[in-house]
Amino acid sequence: MIENMHILAGMLEKVGLAALVVLTYRIILRWHLPALWRGPAIGVLFGLAAVVTMIDPFEVSPGVMIDVRNVMIALAAVFGGVWSAVIAGSIAVLVRIAIGGAGLLPGTVSIILGTVIALTFVHFRGNRRDLPTLALLGLVISFSLLSAVLLPVDVLVTMAVKSLPALIVRNIVGTMLVGSLLAMEERREKEYMTFKQLAERDALTGLSNRRALELVERRTPGHESSGLFCVIMFDLDHFKSVNDTYGHSFGDVVLARFAEIISMRIRGSDLVVRYGGEEFCVILNDARLDNAERIAEDIRQQLARENFSRNVTVTASAGVAQSSQEASSVYTVIKNADMALYMAKHKGRNEVVTYSKPVYLPG
């Protein structure tokens, strides 16, 4: 009994150190790596975690060591997939071979067996992270202890009699504890991304809101490093009258449709922002001024041809501006495009006007 408690205490201490794994896992999630790289990154993390547990293990007899390496490999399979588990298991095998000792063969077989068991479990059970599933995974991964049959008979008997219950409990508790902490981090990251998207998106149109411009401004400190860009400012003409005459529900339909028209006309690398109530801002990256003018005119014409319910038509005015040596800030170019938009409205609306310095506003 004392031996079992000693083993269990030592294993729980190693699981406590695995809190570092949770913190590193959070960093990997925040990096938002492509799927092709995320699995290998998680595999390296859990492989190194398995190595850390192997550096200072509990020694059953000279050269025969036990640790929570297979717990880490099992969690690699659940949280990172096939490649993650294979990479974690491979790292653990290489290090176990380098360590050597009397338990080299059973230790290596245990890692390989643990990797296969973990992948098989995930294949049939999926990558569920609830506590019952994690507990079952910890229990199943304990079958990797069958590699102990490769140990000398006296060591095998000693391990089976004195250590086996604590080793199984270690796997179950370790998998549940570390796995639940990792799952908690995943839930927090998903909640964070959901709230972030809600904060940066307009609920009606699904477009970015003005907060997105702050990110653009940070990425474009000057046109020398980021390339020229153009801004188009759109404003729906007499939109207050549309709302007053046909109701705000109808106005929402118009806004949503106009957002679709703009989004379909621009590239994926460009940005559309609902700048105000009926005002929209388009950032065209690496765009020439003549291209921006043509895009603005196409969007204006398409909206003018749109026939809403009750045979209602709506038009829009637009102002276009381009970045330059003197105007490299996004907000400066937006201000210039807004001045051109003012001119378009002054000329009678349903117009596209390009900013040119100086712009003389009517007094």
Side-chain angles (χ1 to χ4, degrees):
M1 181 63 181
I2 295 177
E3 291 83 353
N4 282 338
M5 293 302 296
H6 181 47
I7 295 173
L8 184 57
M11 293 304 102
L12 290 177
E13 180 183 354
K14 300 299 184 296
V15 172
L17 293 177
L20 292 174
V21 173
V22 177
L23 295 177
T24 309
Y25 183 68
R26 176 192 297 178
I27 294 173
I28 293 176
L29 293 179
R30 287 293 171 93
W31 278 348
H32 301 294
L33 296 171
L36 181 64
W37 295 105
R38 182 176 174 179
I42 293 174
V44 171
L45 167 62
F46 283 102
L48 294 177
V51 169
V52 169
T53 68
M54 293 163 63
I55 292 174
D56 184 25
F58 179 81
E59 197 167 20
V60 178
S61 66
V64 180
M65 301 163 287
I66 56 175
D67 47 59
V68 292
R69 57 193 166 196
N70 280 343
V71 169
M72 296 302 171
I73 295 170
L75 293 174
V78 173
F79 289 91
V82 174
W83 281 111
S84 178
V86 171
I87 291 172
S90 299
I91 293 173
V93 165
L94 291 174
V95 173
R96 185 64 190 89
I97 292 174
I99 292 174
L104 173 59
L105 180 58
T108 302
V109 172
S110 173
I111 295 170
I112 296 173
L113 187 58
T115 304
V116 172
I117 291 172
L119 289 173
T120 303
F121 181 88
V122 171
H123 175 74
F124 287 103
R125 292 282 298 184
N127 58 350
R128 293 165 52 185
R129 275 89 156 164
D130 56 277
L131 281 177
T133 299
L134 291 172
L136 181 60
L137 174 61
L139 178 61
V140 171
I141 204 69
S142 297
F143 282 100
S144 62
L145 295 171
L146 291 174
S147 63
V149 298
L150 299 174
L151 291 169
V153 176
D154 57 333
V155 177
L156 175 61
V157 171
T158 301
M159 178 179 171
V161 173
K162 297 184 176 181
S163 308
L164 186 60
L167 295 177
I168 296 174
V169 172
R170 169 210 68 177
N171 286 338
I172 296 174
V173 173
T175 306
M176 290 176 63
L177 178 61
V178 181
S180 60
L181 290 174
L182 292 169
M184 188 182 303
E185 287 302 321
E186 278 196 340
R187 289 193 297 270
R188 286 178 178 175
E189 182 63 18
K190 288 179 181 178
E191 291 173 357
Y192 167 78
M193 291 304 301
T194 299
F195 291 137
K196 186 174 182 290
Q197 290 175 358
L198 290 174
E200 294 178 354
R201 291 284 171 180
D202 173 60
L204 174 63
T205 63
L207 300 176
S208 300
N209 60 29
R210 294 176 68 161
R211 291 189 179 187
L213 295 174
E214 299 175 7
L215 298 177
V216 176
E217 178 70 4
R218 288 199 291 268
R219 294 171 186 167
T220 55
H223 74 278
E224 298 89 349
S225 61
S226 57
L228 292 175
F229 62 92
C230 291
V231 173
I232 307 173
M233 294 295 294
F234 287 101
D235 190 85
L236 296 177
D237 299 327
H238 303 295
F239 191 68
K240 184 178 184 303
S241 298
V242 172
N243 275 332
D244 292 343
T245 304
Y246 303 103
H248 287 278
S249 296
F250 180 85
D252 288 348
V253 172
V254 173
L255 289 170
R257 177 55 185 156
F258 188 46
E260 290 178 358
I261 292 173
I262 297 175
S263 299
M264 288 188 297
R265 184 59 183 82
I266 65 171
R267 303 164 299 180
S269 59
D270 300 325
L271 175 68
V272 188
V273 172
R274 187 179 178 189
Y275 198 73
E278 64 269 18
E279 197 168 14
F280 296 79
C281 175
V282 181
I283 311 291
L284 302 174
N285 295 304
D286 298 319
R288 299 196 310 267
L289 190 58
D290 57 341
N291 287 337
E293 292 169 341
R294 184 171 62 254
I295 291 171
E297 181 62 24
D298 289 348
I299 293 172
R300 183 197 68 78
Q301 291 183 15
Q302 185 171 347
L303 177 65
R305 292 193 299 266
E306 196 78 18
N307 190 10
F308 294 96
S309 62
R310 308 179 196 178
N311 293 320
V312 176
T313 58
V314 180
T315 60
S317 301
V320 183
Q322 186 180 45
S323 62
S324 64
Q325 182 75 35
E326 297 78 19
S328 59
S329 166
V330 170
Y331 292 112
T332 300
V333 184
I334 288 174
K335 180 180 178 181
N336 293 342
D338 206 38
M339 294 173 68
L341 173 61
Y342 184 93
M343 289 298 297
K345 287 188 170 293
H346 179 72
K347 290 175 64 176
R349 294 180 169 82
N350 196 23
E351 293 269 355
V352 175
V353 172
T354 301
Y355 171 85
S356 59
K357 184 179 180 181
V359 173
Y360 297 102
L361 300 181

